[in-house]
Amino acid sequence: MMINKTLFLTYVYLFIYILLSSGVILYNKWVLSPKYFNFPLPITLTMIHMAFSGAVAFFLVRVFKIVSPVKMTFEIYATCVVPISAFFASSLWFGNTAYLHISVAFIQMLKALMPVATFLMAVLCGIDKARCDVFLNMLLVSVGVVVSSYGEIHFNTVGTVYQVTGIFAEALRLVLTQVLLQKKGLTLNPITSLYYIAPCSFVFLFVPWYLLEKPVMEVSQIQFNFWIFFSNAVCALALNFSIFLVIGRTGAVTIRVAGVLKDWILIALSTVIFPESTITGLNIIGYAIALCGVVMYNYIKVRDVRASQNPVESLPDRITKDWKFEKKSSDIYVPDNIDDNEGSSGGNGTASDMKHDEETPLVSSRLSHIGRTQLTNQYATGK
């Protein structure tokens, strides 16, 4: 009975994650789109998310003391948190700006490039090795995205460039998280990540906001509805917490499967909620090709983790490790992201294993990235 209850709760948490992850992306699109709420200020929206999530994280860490802060020195903050926050802010900025130019469905298809971007950044930074099997998977993903882009009826170069740039910014942030923070022996959960990174990201976003969006706000009659932005920020923050719950009850394989399911659901929902979004047969074929590459890549990473287990250990120990694999695999990742872009960091795996959920600016985006965008950071905490 206890097992059934535990399994039931796991499915409930996965459902909540998929619901919130999809909801935040669709909500952001609705708020930013000139055809709907008409608040075409993505930097402002992201700054609202950062301010809200940073404030909540502060109360949880310093006031209610639900989570303990890590030992953070000025040197670690300046050399690790600051550069990570800069790329985090960039990924959210570019990712949210893409909503102004291209459809949610096409954005999800482009997000299939996340493993490619992360792998390339990891190889360039020397924390991963170029391998033929992984390279072929990355090539398959890229071909699929190109085919999907070719089939996009409302293809927009500006929006595509923004989204791809945001993906590579997020990939570089994941790599920096491993290279910088993990070298210092620091592991941040979703709450402590927001506590340290959200305020710094807010400061980085202030510069482009002052130059690009402040003049627009002064001359345009932009509507500001407190409850709309408050509920939007709450949804993004709730996504962060749902990621925390999901990672505590599932492993890398389950999360990735849930991410793939979420992507397909989101693509279908977006065409219903936003009628101007049109999906062609070539879109689907291209995305299916890219998805095959992503699934094969995930299989390789999981296989590598299993192969790293000691081959001479006793059979009972091996069975025990296999049973715990879903919980403690160093390949487990967390959506860092909020907006779809979906900010937490930590883990023990390689950066190329990480996924990003661009969906929420809080975690940013976008759990990835689970699947599409997939969960972003990895955790080996065994939660």
Side-chain angles (χ1 to χ4, degrees), residues 39-254:
F39 187 81
L41 303 172
I43 303 177
T44 304
L45 182 64
T46 305
M47 290 178 70
I48 292 173
H49 287 172
M50 291 296 96
F52 181 79
S53 58
V56 172
F58 175 82
F59 278 99
L60 293 177
V61 174
R62 291 298 181 183
V63 179
F64 300 107
K65 301 185 185 301
I66 295 177
V67 178
S68 300
V70 301
K71 294 182 179 179
M72 182 70 66
T73 65
F74 176 79
E75 185 247 342
I76 293 177
Y77 193 87
T79 60
C80 299
V81 175
V82 170
I84 289 173
S85 299
F87 285 102
F88 180 46
S90 299
S91 68
L92 298 182
W93 169 19
F94 295 130
N96 281 335
T97 303
Y99 287 118
L100 297 176
H101 305 280
I102 54 182
S103 68
V104 171
F106 187 47
I107 286 176
Q108 294 306 116
M109 295 176 189
L110 289 176
K111 284 176 181 178
L113 284 173
M114 189 62 203
V116 178
T118 308
F119 176 70
L120 290 177
M121 292 297 102
V123 171
L124 290 176
C125 292
I127 64 173
D128 206 346
K129 295 181 180 179
R131 295 166 43 182
C132 183
D133 54 352
V134 176
F135 175 78
L136 291 176
N137 285 334
M138 299 300 96
L139 184 61
L140 184 62
V141 172
S142 301
V143 169
V145 172
V146 169
V147 172
S148 181
S149 301
Y150 184 77
E152 177 64 17
I153 294 178
H154 305 294
F155 182 83
N156 183 287
T157 303
V158 174
T160 302
V161 170
Y162 268 120
Q163 183 59 45
V164 174
T165 302
I167 289 173
F168 275 89
E170 174 65 9
L172 191 52
R173 181 190 69 81
L174 292 176
V175 172
L176 287 178
T177 297
Q178 182 172 347
V179 172
L180 300 178
L181 278 184
Q182 293 178 19
K183 275 190 175 181
K184 303 291 184 179
L186 295 179
T187 298
L188 303 179
N189 62 39
I191 298 175
T192 53
S193 290
L194 293 177
Y195 175 72
Y196 291 108
I197 295 175
C200 191
S201 296
F202 180 91
V203 173
F204 276 109
L205 288 168
F206 180 81
V207 177
W209 173 82
Y210 187 83
L211 297 175
L212 300 176
E213 294 190 357
K214 182 175 179 293
V216 176
M217 297 178 71
E218 291 175 345
V219 300
S220 303
Q221 292 187 347
I222 301 295
Q223 59 175 328
F224 188 92
N225 186 308
F226 171 80
W227 294 109
I228 291 292
F229 292 103
F230 177 74
S231 60
N232 183 256
V234 168
C235 287
L237 184 62
L239 173 58
N240 265 332
F241 292 149
S242 73
I243 290 168
F244 188 84
L245 292 174
V246 167
I247 290 180
R249 286 184 170 270
T250 64
V253 176
T254 305

Side-chain angles (χ1 to χ4, degrees), residues 290-353:
L291 200 57
C292 288
V294 172
V295 171
M296 291 171 63
Y297 170 76
N298 289 339
Y299 169 75
I300 289 176
K301 302 311 295 184
V302 172
R303 184 193 63 188
D304 289 347
V305 172
R306 290 186 182 276
S308 67
Q309 294 176 326
N310 189 351
V312 298
E313 60 194 351
S314 65
L315 181 60
D317 289 341
R318 184 58 177 271
I319 293 175
T320 301
K321 279 195 174 183
D322 285 341
W323 181 79
K324 291 181 177 179
F325 176 74
E326 278 287 299
K327 273 287 216 185
K328 295 209 169 203
S329 167
S330 62
D331 195 43
I332 291 179
Y333 43 73
V334 175
D336 232 32
N337 228 2
I338 288 177
D339 302 328
D340 252 320
N341 284 315
E342 273 125 39
S344 19
S345 52
N348 299 328
T350 62
S352 60
D353 297 338

